[in-house]
């Protein structure tokens, strides 16, 4: 996918906050990047790993 559609997390908050995450559907998984610094690149996680990460975050298991 040469031009993915990046979506900002609804939990990122306002423009003044520094914790901003964007995700995009990529092959072969899900891309994650810092919306404040998209030029730094992104991580690509397999779809199941991303789903597990979200589940753990929702259960507050990540000490974020």
């Amino acid at each position: 996918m040469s031009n993915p559609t990046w979506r900002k997390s609804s939990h990122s908050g306002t423009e003044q906050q520094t914790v901003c995450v964007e995700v995009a559907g990529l092959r072969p998984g899900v891309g994650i990047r810092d919306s404040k610094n998209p030029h730094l690149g992104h991580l690509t996680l397999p779809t199941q790993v991303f789903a597990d990460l979200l589940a753990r975050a929702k259960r507050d298991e990540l000490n974020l």
Side-chain angles (χ1 to χ4, degrees), residues 13-54:
T14 64
E15 291 292 322
Q16 289 75 31
Q17 291 181 334
T18 59
V19 181
C20 298
V21 176
E22 293 179 322
V23 297
L26 303 175
R27 290 187 189 153
V30 178
I32 303 171
R33 72 179 184 182
D34 179 352
S35 65
K36 299 283 187 194
N37 296 296
H39 61 281
L40 295 178
H42 66 275
L43 299 173
T44 302
L45 299 176
T47 304
Q48 187 57 52
V49 172
F50 181 73
D52 293 343
L53 175 66
L54 284 182

